Amino acid sequence: MDEKRGAILAELPRLRRYARALVRDRDVADDLVQDCIEKALTRMEGWQSGDNPRRWLFTIMHNLFVDQLRRVKRRGVSVSYEETGGSALVTEPSQLNNIAAREVLQALQAIAPDRRSALVLVAVEGLTYAEAATVLGIPAGTVMSRIARGREELRKELEDASRRRTIRVVER
Amino acid sequence: MTAEFTERDIHLALDGELPAERLNDFGAWLEANPDMKIKAARFDADRQRLQSALGPVAYEAVPGKLTEAILGNGSDLLGMSSWWRGAIAAGLIVAAAAGGYAVGVTGGPAGIARASDPVAERAVAAHRIYSAEKLHVVEVGADQKDHLIGWLSKRVGTTLQAPDLTPEGFSLVGGRLLPSGEKVAAQFMYQDYSGNRISLYVTQTAGSDETGFRLFENADARAFYWLDGGFGYAIAGAVPEATMEAVARAAYRQLLPGAAKS
């Protein structure tokens, strides 16, 4: 039991990163991670010790994300900025890195969620197409085509962003 | 030997899905197809950008609520919890030593929660325009603060106050009157010792919606905003998010009682 908890704990940093790629808001992303952990803990019996915990956890998280998207679609949500004080540990990167990072994360949010998740699993989390297919519950060929479309969309978003940047009034 | 590839193989190669023995032929095909080579380089660059933007998230401190969700309070777990906690702390130290690069994306109405209010967008637009001014940042300066506040209160239609943000390092420069859709808005401009500016924007809103504290971001400027009692308030600026949040919370605390009166 403790071994399994330890394995989940060890995956936390990557779960948080995947969640942050799916929903950009840090608090919403951590809530998603927490839901994922809670669900995982209730299902630990069904998880074989030898199984890759990452794939198992990512699958749970993905399903929760899909549920969440459905709920949001029904209601329409604007995020509230909760008083969590969680930003204290975040150090600001240099201004340039900041803009580049911000732009690419914004672009990522602008692409379709199913393409976003496929792209992030493979290009950031380093899963193979077969692994991503298991997590997303789709055939490997579909993973491939979602990634291809996702990359095209991302490129287009980034081009738009850099065009906007060049015409923006520069502050200070 | 003429190996044929398609655009599809660019993705396969990039994702390590192209069999190793085909990589040489693929490289030759790219050389022979400059368009495809450019495309492959672009996708590769985007991927690196994505990796460097998201990578640091894995080195952030993991919130206590998450480790607790797994370990409980740790007391019944015989030293294992402290071992893992130690490991996480060690990871943190490594991350800090590596330069402490972390992306400031602590919150933002992006993606699934994109709906923003025009108040926030207008505040950001107005901030961009006037904070860049050297000579005419404000219409009425802070030296005539009483006159400024009286005038703007009358025009906007509520008892305004210019919050005191000196504990946060910002002092009042002055303010101006602005159009906001069919209505008017007041803008108070503040500046810190190194010339960074933030502004408070207040306008009447159409409905009487109330919101909590929200963050709106576009490109490199952001606004924390809230709607209350028929008025919208926004603190806009391009300073680091943590600074903005501190300033906005201070303003929020000071303005909320005043707003309730109207």
Side-chain angles (χ1 to χ4, degrees), chain B residues 119-120 122-124 126 152-153 155-163 176-180 183-190 199-205 224-236 251 255-256 258-259 262:
Chain B
V119 170
R122 285 173 190 158
V124 165
L152 291 178
S153 294
R155 293 303 309 272
V156 173
T158 184
T159 310
L160 291 173
Q161 45 168 318
R176 64 167 66 238
L177 187 68
L178 293 168
S180 174
K183 306 222 161 92
V184 297
Q187 184 192 50
F188 292 102
M189 187 70 71
Y190 292 78
S199 56
L200 165 67
Y201 183 95
V202 184
T203 187
Q204 223 169 341
T205 51
F224 282 92
Y225 70 101
W226 64 96
L227 306 184
D228 181 69
F231 289 86
Y233 301 79
I235 295 277
L255 289 168
L256 215 52
S262 58

Side-chain angles (χ1 to χ4, degrees), chain B residues 66-125:
Chain B
L66 296 180
T67 47
E68 272 162 33
I70 298 171
L71 299 173
N73 287 324
S75 50
D76 56 333
L77 288 164
L78 301 173
M80 192 216 89
S81 62
S82 60
W83 188 87
W84 279 102
R85 286 200 175 126
I88 286 171
L92 269 177
I93 292 157
V94 170
Y101 177 97
V103 186
V105 287
T106 53
I112 58 162
R114 189 170 275 271
S116 70
D117 193 275
V119 170
E121 288 174 45
R122 285 173 190 158
V124 165

Side-chain angles (χ1 to χ4, degrees), chain A residues 2-3 5-10 12-14 16-18 20-28 30-31 33-34 37-38 41 65 68-69 72 77-87 89-95 97-106 108-110 113 116 119-120 122-124 127-130 144 147-149 151-152 154-156 158-159 164-165 168-172, chain B residues 7-12 14-15 17 39 42-43 46-47 49-63 65-67 69-72 76-78 80-81 84-85 88 99-116 124 127-129 131-132 134 194-197 212-215 217-222 224-225 237-242 245 249 253:
Chain A
D2 283 1
E3 186 196 337
R5 283 179 195 267
I8 299 175
L9 200 55
L12 269 186
R14 297 179 63 128
R16 291 187 72 237
R17 180 168 64 192
Y18 180 46
R20 196 82 64 84
L22 293 177
V23 294
R24 199 176 149 208
D25 183 281
R26 176 170 159 148
D27 297 332
V28 176
D30 278 337
D31 286 349
V33 175
Q34 184 157 14
I37 293 168
E38 280 161 10
L41 290 174
F65 172 62
Q68 190 176 327
L69 278 181
V72 167
V77 166
S78 176
V79 83
S80 91
Y81 199 86
E82 297 293 344
E83 188 136 19
T84 53
S87 57
L89 275 163
V90 176
T91 48
E92 280 291 322
S94 77
Q95 202 63 21
N97 282 343
N98 196 4
I99 291 169
R102 188 174 295 279
E103 262 178 16
V104 78
L105 293 175
Q106 250 164 13
L108 187 64
Q109 292 300 315
R116 190 189 318 153
L119 185 60
V120 169
V122 171
V124 179
L127 270 60
T128 63
Y129 286 2
M144 144 94 234
I147 288 174
R149 294 212 183 91
R151 283 205 171 105
E152 282 294 347
L154 190 72
R155 180 176 60 89
K156 204 184 150 296
L158 286 170
E159 277 167 6
R164 280 197 300 272
R165 179 149 42 85
R168 195 181 307 136
V169 178
V170 179
E171 296 200 32
R172 268 182 268 157
Chain B
E7 199 177 319
R8 192 172 164 269
D9 295 297
I10 293 176
H11 300 286
L12 294 177
L14 209 51
D15 298 327
E17 299 278 334
K39 192 159 242 188
R42 174 64 204 244
F43 286 153
D46 286 352
R47 184 180 61 159
R49 225 172 135 182
L50 205 52
Q51 286 172 344
S52 56
L54 283 167
V57 174
Y59 300 103
E60 285 177 5
V62 173
K65 67 167 187 176
L66 296 180
T67 47
I70 298 171
L71 299 173
D76 56 333
L77 288 164
L78 301 173
M80 192 216 89
S81 62
W84 279 102
R85 286 200 175 126
I88 286 171
Y101 177 97
V103 186
V105 287
T106 53
I112 58 162
R114 189 170 275 271
S116 70
V124 165
H127 181 80
R128 276 219 195 96
I129 293 167
S131 66
K134 284 207 163 51
S194 60
N196 294 316
R197 286 168 175 165
F213 203 55
R214 290 178 176 178
L215 173 62
E217 283 184 301
N218 76 2
D220 59 355
R222 53 179 78 90
F224 282 92
Y225 70 101
V239 298
E241 187 171 312
E245 191 190 344
R249 286 198 188 286
R253 279 193 300 272

Side-chain angles (χ1 to χ4, degrees), chain B residues 112 168 191:
Chain B
I112 58 162
E168 284 71 36
Q191 186 167 311

